[in-house]
Amino acid sequence: MQRLDRVVIVGGGPVGLTAALALGQSGVPVTLFEHYATPFEDPRAATLHPPSLEMLSALGAGEEVIRRGLVAPRFQFRDRATFEVVATFDLAHIADATAHPYCVQCEQHKVAAALLDLIGSGKWDIEINLGTTVSSVAQDGDGVMITAAGPQGEIAVRAPWILGADGGRSTVRKALGIEFEGFTWRERFLVVTTPFDFRTTFGFEYRNYLSDPAEWCALFKVPGFTPEGHWRVVFPTPPEETDEEVLSDASILRRLTGAFGGSARDFPVMHRNLYIVNQRVAARFRKGRAFLAGDAAHVNNPLGGLGMNSGIHDAVNLAGKLAAVWHGRVPGAAAEDLLDRYHRQRHTVAHEFVQAQTIRNKQTLEERDPEVRARALAHLRATAADPKRARPYLMNTSLLASITRADAIP
Ligand SMILES: Cc1cc2nc3c(=O)[nH]c(=O)nc-3n(C[C@H](O)[C@H](O)[C@H](O)COP(=O)(O)OP(=O)(O)OC[C@H]3O[C@@H](n4cnc5c(N)ncnc54)[C@H](O)[C@@H]3O)c2cc1C
């Protein structure tokens, strides 16, 4: 077994790579293992909120992510049946609280690629092992034992600390026996990618939510790989429908034309993906010498675009604390408490902000009771129209308030 005097990170998604860069820049040597040979291009996260842009900018990756993305200062709620704009929220209302009063639509594999490029500059002691899968993790009082397999064959290493940033099915979390508490929604979410230009035709923003008691829908623009970019449309699908039915041309066309009118010619389908959707939070974000961050620690429905963002916030929070301990700036019991504080802070905001908001967003979009629905939409309309009410709403939905909340947790 090879002894590494380095922090080991499992998972090179946006969260693991952010943690690697933040630790490396703090003078902590890092070895990262990532299963894929290049960032996996599935259509998941695309929205970066202001605090994540601030953190990526502090790491030197913000400018590149903004350059590769689309700046989205506003988002819309509509009534799907009438197409009426219920509320348009403008992040200009929080311009006093952030250097980035806008979201950026940039696919997560491009965020990962931007981070990898920066790490590849070789300025920091960060070793990235792509195409390498970690299969087992165990720990004792002094360190963590990891086995992995990749282009270099089977590897067995021992390291003082490990971060599991290995996604919702985290090998690290399972190996540590940490409960993933929560539930799975009955519906799966269908994501359809099309070049149809919803902005020019219907005046949509780059981020939109369409409420409907029978079938809500969410609509986002992403840059893609063409100057025109493309759009992702998200629909809930009932458990009675099989995967084959949901992913068939007929069902996709029925859903698109049901929501937006037109015909098959209008909506060339570039990709179709179906996701099982969970709301779960790990019982502990730290166990001994192991930490969890990002989807390994918490998963949620994508309405609000909070999963990757809160994972980036985990990574930056943990890196600061682990670097302080690594460099011996915090001695003995205080070091233990500082590392436990990572759990206290990030576990709390995972529940209070990310879980609460994403569940509420889904409920608002799908509400069936006409009176409750009318009240919810009226509330959104009034909130967007009044800057005094829009500001706290945007502080929450952007997760800026979650950072202040976490900082206040001792
Ligand atoms: C449809 C959809 C839309 C979404 N939209 C948004 C959005 O707009 N904004 C937002 O913030 N979030 C969004 N999310 C959530 C977001 O995709 C996740 O929260 C985000 O990917 C989490 O990043 P991560 O790095 O923690 O995990 P992942 O991106 O899952 O990365 C984990 C990495 O670990 C690697 N790995 C796994 N196991 C091992 C192993 N044993 N050994 C080595 N490597 C391993 C994987 O290959 C992967 O690269 C969306 C999700 C979905 C499904």
Side-chain angles (χ1 to χ4, degrees), residues 22 28 96 104 107-108 117 138 147 153 164 172 204 243 324 332 334:
V28 179
D96 61 327
V104 168
E107 297 94 330
Q108 70 178 67
D117 285 351
T147 57
V172 177
F204 278 109
D243 289 12

Side-chain angles (χ1 to χ4, degrees), residues 77 183 185-189 209 211-212 216 236 277 279 301-304 355-367:
F77 282 89
F183 64 92
W185 294 102
R186 289 176 71 243
E187 311 93 315
R188 290 152 301 153
F189 286 11
Y209 300 95
S211 144
D212 190 83
W216 56 263
V277 189
Q279 302 281 163
N301 80 62
L303 300 170
Q355 295 296 315
Q357 280 185 39
T358 53
I359 292 172
R360 202 180 314 126
N361 287 344
K362 181 170 178 294
Q363 286 166 345
T364 302
L365 292 187
E366 70 191 6
E367 181 55 55

Side-chain angles (χ1 to χ4, degrees), residues 387-410:
K388 283 208 190 74
R389 291 171 70 178
R391 191 176 186 286
Y393 177 87
L394 291 165
M395 290 297 286
N396 280 324
T397 54
S398 68
L399 292 180
L400 276 164
S402 78
I403 306 293
T404 316
R405 168 74 178 116
D407 286 348
I409 296 170

Side-chain angles (χ1 to χ4, degrees), residues 45-375:
T47 303
L48 287 148
H49 290 284
S52 315
L53 295 169
E54 288 173 19
M55 291 175 195
L56 292 174
S57 295
L59 294 172
E63 207 175 302
E64 183 59 15
V65 166
I66 295 170
R67 193 188 66 74
R68 294 186 192 197
L70 301 167
V71 172
R74 290 174 296 278
F75 61 99
Q76 248 180 33
F77 282 89
R78 289 199 188 195
D79 184 335
R80 175 177 148 168
T82 60
F83 254 32
E84 179 209 359
V85 178
V86 172
T88 301
F89 285 96
D90 193 332
L91 275 74
H93 291 307
I94 54 170
D96 61 327
T98 175
H100 302 280
Y102 44 80
C103 288
V104 168
Q105 295 292 106
C106 181
E107 297 94 330
Q108 70 178 67
H109 63 88
K110 293 183 190 163
V111 176
L115 291 164
L116 267 176
D117 285 351
L118 199 51
I119 289 169
S121 69
K123 288 185 191 154
W124 309 282
D125 187 0
I126 306 171
E127 185 191 290
I128 304 280
N129 296 280
L130 297 174
T132 306
T133 306
V134 168
S135 53
S136 78
V137 176
Q139 64 173 318
D140 56 27
D142 303 324
V144 186
M145 287 74 70
I146 300 133
T147 57
Q152 61 280 62
E154 296 273 330
I155 323 162
V157 296
R158 185 179 171 88
W161 304 101
I162 188 172
L163 168 61
D166 50 344
R169 295 184 184 146
S170 172
T171 300
V172 177
R173 188 189 65 240
K174 288 176 190 162
L176 297 170
I178 297 175
E179 280 294 306
F180 209 24
E181 297 163 344
F183 64 92
T184 302
W185 294 102
R186 289 176 71 243
E187 311 93 315
R188 290 152 301 153
F189 286 11
L190 170 68
V191 182
V192 181
T193 308
T194 172
F196 181 83
D197 186 349
F198 290 91
R199 186 173 186 124
T200 306
T201 316
F202 298 119
F204 278 109
E205 298 291 344
Y206 288 167
R207 301 174 56 219
N208 310 274
Y209 300 95
L210 285 75
S211 144
D212 190 83
E215 186 187 65
W216 56 263
C217 152
L219 179 62
F220 307 96
K221 184 161 186 186
V222 293
F225 292 103
T226 60
E228 298 78 30
H230 50 245
W231 293 75
R232 291 183 186 160
V233 197
V234 185
F235 294 104
T237 70
E240 307 79 69
E241 254 182 274
T242 65
D243 289 12
E244 291 68 31
E245 282 165 350
V246 171
L247 294 168
S248 70
D249 288 346
S251 113
I252 287 172
L253 186 63
R254 178 176 56 72
R255 288 197 155 91
L256 286 170
T257 55
F260 303 104
S263 67
R265 255 203 334 270
D266 296 320
F267 302 110
V269 174
M270 300 165 69
H271 303 288
R272 55 195 81 191
N273 296 77
L274 191 55
Y275 292 95
I276 293 170
V277 189
N278 290 286
Q279 302 281 163
R280 293 183 189 275
V281 180
R284 308 278 324 154
F285 286 16
R286 177 191 179 201
K287 187 169 181 180
R289 298 185 155 271
F291 303 89
L292 299 174
D295 276 18
H298 45 80
V299 289
N300 51 272
N301 80 62
L303 300 170
L306 303 186
M308 172 178 70
N309 284 274
S310 57
I312 289 172
H313 307 174
D314 295 341
V316 170
N317 181 310
L318 176 63
K321 294 177 169 63
L322 200 47
V325 172
W326 183 274
H327 293 300
R329 290 199 288 267
V330 197
E336 282 301 306
D337 186 60
L338 181 67
L339 297 176
D340 280 344
R341 190 172 176 223
Y342 166 69
H343 163 78
R344 293 195 294 274
Q345 292 181 322
R346 297 306 306 165
H347 183 265
T348 302
V349 299
H351 278 290
E352 288 183 2
F353 286 80
V354 180
Q355 295 296 315
Q357 280 185 39
T358 53
I359 292 172
R360 202 180 314 126
N361 287 344
K362 181 170 178 294
Q363 286 166 345
T364 302
L365 292 187
E366 70 191 6
E367 181 55 55
R368 293 218 154 99
D369 180 316
E371 273 179 31
V372 179
R373 179 164 185 268
R375 264 205 310 276

